[in-house]
Amino acid sequence: MSFLIFFLGLVYNLYNFFKKAKKDKILYGYFSFKHTIRSYLFWLLPFGSYSMRQRPLFTAISYVFHVGLLLTPIFFLGHIELWKESWGISWWALPNIVSDFLTVLTIICGVILLLRRFLVKDVKYLSTPVDYALLVLVILVFLTGFLARYQLVFTYQVIAGLHILLGEVMLIFIPFTKLSHIFYFWLIRAHTASEFGAVRRSKDY
């Protein structure tokens, strides 16, 4: 059910996005593939954009957090084994020591980002209760996964069950909260890059 809600919510939101873009009659008119690809490269590379270079420490922490957030769940051997047992499909996995290292780094970076929302005045002003809750949710998903792997705290069944439950909740929340930027990043960057590059003749990075 969580996967179903995740995919249906994503499809629904993308449908609305492109429907509004077509109605607006602007986005498609000045879309530039060249500027879009260039923007992707500069915003995906560490310190590629001007704003990243202005805040190097935050950029490094945020970059590591996102890398761990994306790579660890997909390439963790335990997750892949579950897919293989259930659906008969598998793919390359990270060595367990690398997965552990990324998990711990993701938790640490997540905690730092959470503290930043509490302590940095400008960020605190822009943060909502949902922003705090989502970050806590992501941290707990990784923390419970790490505890389940090493069977620490409570019984394995309890901590593994909690990890699965939190993971399902996160999947459900992705299409309907700011977590959806994992998908909308590509659309927003394409829109912004095309406007700045093809219309304003300036950089968006």
Side-chain angles (χ1 to χ4, degrees):
M1 287 301 296
S2 62
F3 272 108
L4 185 62
I5 295 172
F6 168 76
F7 284 115
L8 290 179
L10 176 63
V11 170
Y12 175 76
N13 286 336
L14 290 177
Y15 168 77
N16 279 337
F17 178 90
F18 287 110
K19 183 180 179 181
K20 291 177 181 178
K22 187 176 181 180
K23 184 179 180 181
D24 193 55
K25 296 181 180 180
I26 295 178
L27 174 60
Y28 294 119
Y30 61 73
F31 173 77
S32 169
F33 183 76
K34 181 184 75 173
H35 291 104
T36 295
I37 296 300
R38 187 177 67 177
S39 182
Y40 286 165
L41 292 175
F42 277 97
W43 281 92
L44 288 174
L45 292 173
F47 308 105
S49 70
Y50 175 78
S51 61
M52 289 183 184
R53 294 192 293 272
Q54 291 297 104
R55 301 173 295 172
L57 181 59
F58 168 73
T59 295
I61 294 171
S62 179
Y63 199 87
V64 171
F65 177 74
H66 282 85
V67 168
L69 189 62
L70 290 173
L71 292 185
T72 310
I74 297 174
F75 296 104
F76 173 54
L77 180 60
H79 291 170
I80 297 172
E81 286 296 324
L82 291 175
W83 279 94
K84 187 176 181 180
E85 291 176 8
S86 299
W87 304 100
I89 57 176
S90 63
W91 53 90
W92 177 82
L94 289 168
N96 283 330
I97 189 171
V98 176
S99 294
D100 290 345
F101 182 68
L102 282 176
T103 299
V104 173
L105 275 183
T106 303
I107 294 170
I108 293 172
C109 290
V111 171
I112 294 173
L113 293 175
L114 182 62
L115 291 174
R116 176 176 174 268
R117 286 194 177 275
F118 280 106
L119 301 176
V120 179
K121 186 177 180 180
D122 294 343
V123 181
K124 183 178 181 180
Y125 177 77
L126 295 173
S127 298
T128 66
V130 175
D131 294 327
Y132 293 106
L134 290 175
L135 197 45
V136 169
L137 174 62
V138 172
I139 294 169
L140 288 177
V141 169
F142 276 75
L143 180 60
T144 53
F146 187 80
L147 295 176
R149 169 163 160 67
Y150 287 98
Q151 301 185 32
L152 304 171
V153 186
F154 305 115
T155 63
Y156 172 77
Q157 288 77 9
V158 171
I159 199 67
L162 185 59
H163 172 64
I164 293 170
L165 178 63
L166 291 171
E168 290 171 344
V169 170
M170 188 170 76
L171 271 177
I172 292 171
F173 280 2
I174 286 175
F176 310 106
T177 65
K178 289 181 181 179
L179 292 175
S180 62
H181 73 271
I182 188 175
F183 299 105
Y184 291 130
F185 163 84
W186 310 97
L187 302 175
I188 293 169
R189 285 263 56 85
H191 175 275
T192 306
S194 297
E195 179 183 348
F196 274 76
V199 179
R200 301 186 184 185
R201 305 297 180 182
S202 61
K203 298 178 179 179
D204 72 309
Y205 51 87

